[in-house]
Each structure stands twice: as C-alpha cells, then as structure tokens.
Amino acid sequence: MKFRAKITGKGCLELFIHVSCTVARLAKVCVLRVRPDSLCFSPAGFHGLREAGLWCEVRRGAFQQFRMEGVSEDLDEIHLELTAEHLSRAARSAAGASSLKLQLTHRRRPCLTVAVELASSLGRARSVVHELPVQVLPRGAWRACLPPSLRAADASIYLPRWRTLRSIVERMANVGDHVLVEANLRGRMTLSMETEVVSIKSYFKNLGNPPESAGAPPNGDLESVVQVRVDNRKLLQFLEGQQINPTVALCNIWDNSLLQLVLVQEDVSLQYFIPAL
Amino acid sequence: MPLLTQQIQDEDDQYSLVASLDNVRNLSTILKHATCLATKNGIKVTVENAKWTLTAFRMCYQGYGYPLMLFLEEGGVVTVCKINTQEPEETLDFDFCSTSVINKIILQSEGLHEVFSELDMKSEVLQITMSPDKPYFRLSTFGNAGSSHLDYPKDSDLMEAFHCNQTQVNRYKISLLKPSTKALVLSCKVSIRTDNRDFPSLQYMIRNEDGQICFVEYYCCPDEEVPESES
C-alpha cells in the first residue's frame, strides 16, 4: 500500500483545509478512502441513514501530485480510519503555506504524515510535520464506507444564498430544535418551525431546480410540495463555517424521510445527509 | 405568502395602534437608520444595516386573542413570524415619586460605558454611593479578587448636574442592573436618582439619527441594609 499526495496553490489548500474542518465538525472519527482518482472522507461506524452523515470527495485534480497503490491490483483502494480533529488541526497549520504533503507512512504503527511547508517572509522555509495515527481498515469494512445509494429524490432544488440560509436557520435554532424543509419543482422553498409560543416561516422563491432532477413529483404536479422535518442543529452544523463559494449548491428531498445537501466547488464535493426526525 | 397579499387582506382588520406606536418609538431608537411608517394597517419599519441591504419589517396585531404577526423581508426572502400573546401581568409599579427624590445626578454616558462593561461579575451587588461630601458619586463592587471603587468627583467634566442632599449608600443586585446596560450604551446622558426609600431611578436619554430624543427608564429594588462601616 502506498499513498503520496501534494497540494500547492492557495485555492486548493484552502479548499482542503475547509474540507478537513467540516469533516471534523460533523464526525469524531472518519474514514479516509484513498482511491486512484480521489480522496474521500466518510463517517466512521456509519450504520445506515438513522443519523446524519457527511461524505466528501477531493478529486485528483486538486492535487499537484497524487500517487497511490491500493491493497492489491483488484482492490485498488486504501481505507484509513483516523480521528478527524487530528487531520483538521494539521490542515489548519497549512493556512498560508506553500504546500501540504500527505503520505502514508509507518512509524511503529501506520500513520498519515502531513508535512506543511511554510514560506517565511524572511525567505527561509519552515516545515511542520504531523504524524497522525491511523488504522488500516480491512476489506470487510469497506462497504460500510460508501455513501448511501438511493432512488431518485422526490424534489431537487438549488439552495438560496448561503449567508441568508445560514442566518435564517441560526435564528430558528435559537427558538427550537427542528425545522421543516419544503420545496417544489417550481423553484420555491420554505423553512419553518413552530413551538407552543411562536411559529416562523421563511419563503424563498425563484431558486431554480436542477435540470437533471430525475425525481418525478408524487402526483406529476410541479407545484406539489415535498417536505422533510430535520434536526435544526445538524443542519446548522453543516451551514456554519462554510466559507467556500460553491459552483453548485443544491438540496434533494425524499418526502418525509431524507434531506441531502450537495455542494460542489472545483474538484471538491460535499454531500450531507440528514434523516427525517 | 408574499408580503403584498397580506397587506390587502389586512385592509379590513382593526389594529390596536396605540400600543404599536409606542413599540415603534423604542424600536426606531434601538435600530439605526430606521424609517417608520405608521398606517392603519400596521407599523412598517425599514432598516438599513451596515451591509447596505434593506430589511423591511412590519408588525401587526389584530387584537385580543390573535397572535402578534411580524413580517420581515430581506434580499427577496420573506419571513413571517407569529407570536402567541399572553395575558399581560400587571406591571410592577415602583411608585417612584419625583417629590421624594433625595439625590440626583446627571452624567454623560460615555463615562459609564467602560465601567459597566467591566463590572466585576463575581460581585453580586453594585453599591452606589451618592453624597454631598466626598466621594460624591461612587460605584463599588465586591468580588472574590477584592473590592473596587470608582469615584466621580462632582466637578468632573462628565458630571452635568449634581444635586445631593444626603449621603446614601445602597446596594443593588448586579443581575438586576445588567440589562439596563443596553440602554446605557445607546444613551448620551443618564440621570440617577434615589428617593427616600433608597429606590433608584435610572433614566437614559437616547438620541437617534434624526435627532429625536427618547427615554428609557429603569427601576429596581435596593438589595439590603448596608453595614455602616464601609470605607
């Protein structure tokens, strides 16, 4: 098994740091899947969609250098389980760095070595090396790391402006712990919640629906609304701290069962599943 | 439900305007750059915040038994908020009478901003000393690390008026006074008066962008008898 990759360039570095921090915010332990064309993050110990989960993919194009050799020719992947915060802390040290290198190494035990090259203003380079202990997962555990494969969503809609969405969900989270997300195939979405004392509803329109949303509405009516009620705090956790400018930001709803948020920016994609309450 | 539709529906409804107008006056001084428009349909407040986005706000109340409706519009997104109303409790009447005022001072608020934000929160009380003799006006806290005293001499530049007839030393629970710091921060002047029952009256004068003046009055109860020996 071999893995060696290098990221240079401010934009790619920032994206990588951002992905590591997002993963660490949403999962304590994660699985790093090294594949021939990408690096993927999945939540560890995921037992089906009874809980929220984040899957990220950083495609090969984000790396200046990417070399891997899987377990075997047939099984050309490596699965590493590690504490997400270790990686995010190491990645954060690369803020403003000239490069970040990832390498699978062995120091008495398997490690993911993160080497950060920091250019100093005086012209002298400094490097910071982090050795993150990892556990190599056996083949039997690989299946559980895949993102859920589901039938087409009942409704698919582009998300509103990120900051607006976040501030509305934030305000609702102050009042209650659930939020009802509704959308239709006419670009309309509402977020609402109610308690004994107060009810709040925000209306978004002209959001647009992705063309490839193969989801046919339950009764063929584009106006018909699809809904799912989810834990507000889970939603907020994902929305917080997102400083990226996604080229694609959309959500998929499976009526009364699942909410999926999808963000894509250059070679990075994030998908976050939140099951219905 | 777009804002426009709601407006048309509300044409026929009755609103308790008097209460709403009072709220708007307070609201407009708390919010910066707020323009208020009162119509028979409700009160509309438009706020411009630092990022130059316009937040339109409307508050409507149909009457007893109906929820308070708030409509906010920001960046094309309309948010509707319904708040269930409750039976009003009788407001506490502190019975503070101007004629029984013993000590009164008027200070420029900027002199108190830092003080109040740095108040030792480990102290349960804020002790206010007002006296015709030294230390004239003193704020004291007593915390784990020790006690701190802040003196304002009567001839200080910050002191606009100083009328103290008797030495009064009173303690007030800090937790009761902390909420009034919001008004303090917005105000330009504050008047502190105590009456013959040691009850304080804090009056904050707030001037908004258009030069309109409004007052926020604050009352609470004194804490306990102060032991005589206090240096």
Side-chain angles (χ1 to χ4, degrees), chain A residues 160 163-164 167-168 171-172 195-205, chain B residues 1-2 51 53 72 74-86:
Chain A
R163 229 176 267 154
T164 311
S167 74
I168 287 179
R171 281 181 227 154
M172 289 186 179
T195 65
E196 263 178 30
V197 179
V198 69
S199 79
I200 312 177
K201 191 159 187 172
S202 289
Y203 299 81
F204 302 86
K205 52 185 185 162
Chain B
M1 190 211 323
K51 292 188 184 130
T53 56
L72 282 121
E74 187 175 9
V77 182
V78 175
T79 302
V80 180
C81 191
K82 281 185 221 179
I83 306 175
N84 288 340
T85 55
Q86 298 168 332

Side-chain angles (χ1 to χ4, degrees), chain B residues 59-73:
Chain B
M59 180 157 59
C60 303
Y61 179 57
Q62 263 177 276
Y64 186 78
Y66 288 91
L68 180 68
M69 306 279 292
L70 304 176
F71 301 91
L72 282 121
E73 179 168 353

